[in-house]
Amino acid sequence: MNDNLFQLLNQFAGRYDWFDDLMTFCAQDIVWIMIAILGFLWITGKENNQKTVFYACLTTVVALLVASLIISPMVNHPRPFVDHQVHQLIAHAPDASFPSDHATFAFSLAFSILFAKRKTGVALLALAVITGIARVFVGVHYPADIGGAILLSFIIGFLVHKMRGKLDFIPLFFIRIYGKLVAKVSFLPRSQ
């Protein structure tokens, strides 16, 4: 089933240059849009937004560490282009593919924000889904790699969200530092 779903998406790669370019952008660069959204939330100067951004970053770091240091070495699943002839649109090292780091990054941000800010979270979740589909389309991940990233991101995001109240002293420390820096630069909004 994993191979069949991969072939279903990847078979369309290489047919239209404009669509390949779009999917390549989505596979590699859509995460920058997500980071920009987090940056905007931070510079609003609202403490709740800044704490949400902190927890999104914490979720992402923890999920990526679990993925790269524990899960990926244990599973050691090869990428599609290692085992099969595929339409590979982006260069990638032939390292382990499960779970997808790009998808883990995108879904960790999305779920973390979704737990705190519903509308923004839904928008980020849509971008994460597009990223996941694009990673399969360009030939560097299987659908299960994306599914694993989704599950891991959700679990870590949920656990971090549940611990928010107990960990608030950490983001508040960084928010205070930001506030002191902003006091010296007048064009940035202060934390409220």
PDB file of all heavy atoms in Angstrom, residues 4 10 12 33 62 129 132 137 145 165:
ATOM      1  N   ASN A   4       2.189   1.678  -3.434  1.00  0.00           N
ATOM      2  CA  ASN A   4       1.113   2.054  -4.359  1.00  0.00           C
ATOM      3  C   ASN A   4       0.747   3.528  -4.209  1.00  0.00           C
ATOM      4  O   ASN A   4       0.541   4.230  -5.210  1.00  0.00           O
ATOM      5  CB  ASN A   4      -0.130   1.184  -4.138  1.00  0.00           C
ATOM      6  CG  ASN A   4       0.088  -0.243  -4.578  1.00  0.00           C
ATOM      7  OD1 ASN A   4       0.996  -0.537  -5.353  1.00  0.00           O
ATOM      8  ND2 ASN A   4      -0.719  -1.153  -4.063  1.00  0.00           N
ATOM      9  N   ASN A  10       3.745  10.092  -7.232  1.00  0.00           N
ATOM     10  CA  ASN A  10       5.005  10.364  -7.927  1.00  0.00           C
ATOM     11  C   ASN A  10       4.892  10.205  -9.438  1.00  0.00           C
ATOM     12  O   ASN A  10       5.683  10.792 -10.182  1.00  0.00           O
ATOM     13  CB  ASN A  10       6.107   9.462  -7.369  1.00  0.00           C
ATOM     14  CG  ASN A  10       7.451   9.749  -7.975  1.00  0.00           C
ATOM     15  OD1 ASN A  10       7.991   8.931  -8.721  1.00  0.00           O
ATOM     16  ND2 ASN A  10       8.006  10.904  -7.659  1.00  0.00           N
ATOM     17  N   PHE A  12       3.003  11.563 -11.413  1.00  0.00           N
ATOM     18  CA  PHE A  12       2.694  12.838 -12.077  1.00  0.00           C
ATOM     19  C   PHE A  12       3.900  13.771 -12.142  1.00  0.00           C
ATOM     20  O   PHE A  12       3.857  14.797 -12.824  1.00  0.00           O
ATOM     21  CB  PHE A  12       1.525  13.533 -11.373  1.00  0.00           C
ATOM     22  CG  PHE A  12       0.251  12.745 -11.446  1.00  0.00           C
ATOM     23  CD1 PHE A  12      -0.225  12.088 -10.315  1.00  0.00           C
ATOM     24  CD2 PHE A  12      -0.442  12.625 -12.636  1.00  0.00           C
ATOM     25  CE1 PHE A  12      -1.385  11.335 -10.377  1.00  0.00           C
ATOM     26  CE2 PHE A  12      -1.611  11.881 -12.712  1.00  0.00           C
ATOM     27  CZ  PHE A  12      -2.085  11.220 -11.578  1.00  0.00           C
ATOM     28  N   ILE A  33       7.417  29.953   4.918  1.00  0.00           N
ATOM     29  CA  ILE A  33       6.173  30.708   5.117  1.00  0.00           C
ATOM     30  C   ILE A  33       5.668  30.469   6.542  1.00  0.00           C
ATOM     31  O   ILE A  33       5.231  31.394   7.234  1.00  0.00           O
ATOM     32  CB  ILE A  33       5.108  30.302   4.078  1.00  0.00           C
ATOM     33  CG1 ILE A  33       5.578  30.680   2.667  1.00  0.00           C
ATOM     34  CG2 ILE A  33       3.750  30.922   4.397  1.00  0.00           C
ATOM     35  CD1 ILE A  33       4.731  30.126   1.554  1.00  0.00           C
ATOM     36  N   VAL A  62      11.918  19.116  19.968  1.00  0.00           N
ATOM     37  CA  VAL A  62      11.789  17.803  20.615  1.00  0.00           C
ATOM     38  C   VAL A  62      11.419  16.743  19.585  1.00  0.00           C
ATOM     39  O   VAL A  62      12.010  15.653  19.553  1.00  0.00           O
ATOM     40  CB  VAL A  62      10.762  17.851  21.774  1.00  0.00           C
ATOM     41  CG1 VAL A  62      10.458  16.451  22.297  1.00  0.00           C
ATOM     42  CG2 VAL A  62      11.268  18.745  22.890  1.00  0.00           C
ATOM     43  N   VAL A 129       0.223  19.846   5.377  1.00  0.00           N
ATOM     44  CA  VAL A 129      -0.310  18.787   4.511  1.00  0.00           C
ATOM     45  C   VAL A 129       0.249  18.935   3.093  1.00  0.00           C
ATOM     46  O   VAL A 129       0.687  17.952   2.477  1.00  0.00           O
ATOM     47  CB  VAL A 129      -1.859  18.797   4.508  1.00  0.00           C
ATOM     48  CG1 VAL A 129      -2.416  17.912   3.401  1.00  0.00           C
ATOM     49  CG2 VAL A 129      -2.394  18.356   5.864  1.00  0.00           C
ATOM     50  N   GLY A 132       3.802  17.742   3.064  1.00  0.00           N
ATOM     51  CA  GLY A 132       3.872  16.283   3.094  1.00  0.00           C
ATOM     52  C   GLY A 132       3.572  15.656   1.748  1.00  0.00           C
ATOM     53  O   GLY A 132       4.304  14.766   1.288  1.00  0.00           O
ATOM     54  N   PHE A 137       5.486  13.581  -3.781  1.00  0.00           N
ATOM     55  CA  PHE A 137       5.437  13.909  -5.211  1.00  0.00           C
ATOM     56  C   PHE A 137       6.838  14.034  -5.812  1.00  0.00           C
ATOM     57  O   PHE A 137       7.099  13.518  -6.902  1.00  0.00           O
ATOM     58  CB  PHE A 137       4.654  15.212  -5.413  1.00  0.00           C
ATOM     59  CG  PHE A 137       4.532  15.626  -6.859  1.00  0.00           C
ATOM     60  CD1 PHE A 137       3.448  15.221  -7.627  1.00  0.00           C
ATOM     61  CD2 PHE A 137       5.490  16.434  -7.448  1.00  0.00           C
ATOM     62  CE1 PHE A 137       3.332  15.605  -8.953  1.00  0.00           C
ATOM     63  CE2 PHE A 137       5.383  16.827  -8.776  1.00  0.00           C
ATOM     64  CZ  PHE A 137       4.299  16.398  -9.530  1.00  0.00           C
ATOM     65  N   ASP A 145       6.270   7.729   5.555  1.00  0.00           N
ATOM     66  CA  ASP A 145       7.227   8.655   6.179  1.00  0.00           C
ATOM     67  C   ASP A 145       6.505   9.906   6.657  1.00  0.00           C
ATOM     68  O   ASP A 145       6.825  10.453   7.713  1.00  0.00           O
ATOM     69  CB  ASP A 145       8.322   9.066   5.183  1.00  0.00           C
ATOM     70  CG  ASP A 145       9.124   7.883   4.649  1.00  0.00           C
ATOM     71  OD1 ASP A 145       9.148   6.831   5.304  1.00  0.00           O
ATOM     72  OD2 ASP A 145       9.712   8.032   3.566  1.00  0.00           O
ATOM     73  N   GLY A 165       1.388  25.077  31.261  1.00  0.00           N
ATOM     74  CA  GLY A 165       1.309  25.828  32.519  1.00  0.00           C
ATOM     75  C   GLY A 165       2.520  25.616  33.407  1.00  0.00           C
ATOM     76  O   GLY A 165       2.994  26.543  34.059  1.00  0.00           O
TER      77      GLY A 165
END
